[in-house]
Amino acid sequence: MVATTQPTGPDAIAHREWSRYTPRERWRRYGLMALVALAVVWSLSTINIIWPWLWDAPQQMGDLFARMFPPSLEGWKDIAWTLLETVNIATIATFFAVFLSLPIALIAAQNTTPNRFTLWLGRFILVSSRSVNTIIWALLFVAVFGPGVLAGILAIIFRSIGFLGKLLGEAIEEIDRAPIEALESVGASRFKILVYGVIPQVMPTFFAVSILRWDINLRESTVLGLVGAGGIGIILQGAIDTFAWPTVATILLAIIGLVIIGEAISAYLRKKVI
C-alpha cells in the first residue's frame, strides 16, 4: 500500500477551496428561494390573469399610441388652467401639512413626548395617515364635501401628515443632547428647550423633508381628478371617457412636463437648504 500525504503548512492553505457559504447555509438559501418561487406561482394562480389579453397587450398598446399621435392642442387653455390648479392643490396642502405635522412629530418622538399616552397617540396618527392612500382619502372627502379642490387639498394634507411627522420625529430623536442638557442645567422651561434646543437642530431636515413632500404631492395631485377631487385628472378622465386620444396625449405630455419642472425646482431648493 502506498501512503499518500496531504499538503501541510502554506501548501494546505493554497490547496483548500474557498467557499462563501457553508453547505448548510447554501441549502438554506436554496430553500428560501424555493419558497419565494412557490409564493409567486401561488399568487399568479389566484389573480385570474386572462393570458390571451396579456399576449395581445403589445399590439393593443401600439394601436392606442397610434391613435394618440399627433397630440391635439384643442382645449389647451383648460389644460393650462387645471395644471395651475394642480400646483395650487399641492402647494396649499403641503403648507398646512407641514405645520400640522410638527406638533405630531414632537409627541411621537420619545425624547420630546410628554408621556407614554401622547407617544402612542402621535404614532397612531402617523400610522393611520400613512396607511390610507391619497386616492382613498380623496374618495372619503369627496363623499363628505362633494367634488372639487377642497377634497383634494384635504386628502393630500391627511396623507402628508404621516410622511412628514414620521421623518421629523426620527430627526428629533437623533438630535444632540448637549444643548438640551445645557438648557436644562440653567432651569429653562420645556417650551424654551423646544424652541432653542430642539427646533434649531431639526430645521434643515424640516425644510428638506417639506420640499421633498411638495414634490411628491405635485405628482399625486395629478391623479386626484380621477375621483373628482380637482386638478388635471378631471379633464384627463373626461378625455379618456370620450375616446379623445390626441387630447389624452397632450394632457399626459403636460403632466410629464409639470413633474419634470417640479423635480427641478425641488432639487434646486434642497440644494440651497442642505
Side-chain angles (χ1 to χ4, degrees), residues 60-69 252:
Q60 297 298 330
M61 291 177 63
D63 179 65
L64 182 61
F65 288 143
R67 296 184 186 185
M68 290 183 178
F69 185 83
L252 292 177

Side-chain angles (χ1 to χ4, degrees), residues 149-228:
V149 174
L150 178 60
I153 292 174
L154 291 175
I156 292 184
I157 288 175
F158 273 69
R159 175 66 172 177
S160 300
I161 286 175
F163 178 90
L164 294 167
K166 174 68 173 178
L167 295 182
L168 289 176
E170 292 178 351
I172 292 171
E173 290 181 343
E174 296 173 358
I175 62 175
D176 185 9
R177 283 286 306 170
I180 309 298
E181 293 173 354
L183 289 168
E184 290 175 346
S185 65
V186 296
S189 64
R190 190 178 187 87
F191 177 76
K192 290 184 177 179
I193 291 175
L194 289 175
V195 172
Y196 298 107
V198 176
I199 293 179
Q201 295 191 60
V202 298
M203 286 305 290
T205 303
F206 176 79
F207 286 113
V209 170
S210 300
I211 295 169
L212 175 62
R213 189 62 211 185
W214 175 80
D215 185 27
I216 297 173
N217 288 342
L218 188 63
R219 302 163 192 264
E220 292 191 345
S221 60
T222 59
V223 298
L224 291 177
L226 299 177
V227 294

Side-chain angles (χ1 to χ4, degrees), residues 50-80:
I50 303 176
W51 295 105
W53 289 11
L54 182 62
W55 309 138
D56 192 44
Q59 179 181 351
Q60 297 298 330
M61 291 177 63
D63 179 65
L64 182 61
F65 288 143
R67 296 184 186 185
M68 290 183 178
F69 185 83
S72 174
L73 294 179
E74 184 179 354
W76 67 269
K77 291 184 179 180
D78 293 334
I79 295 175

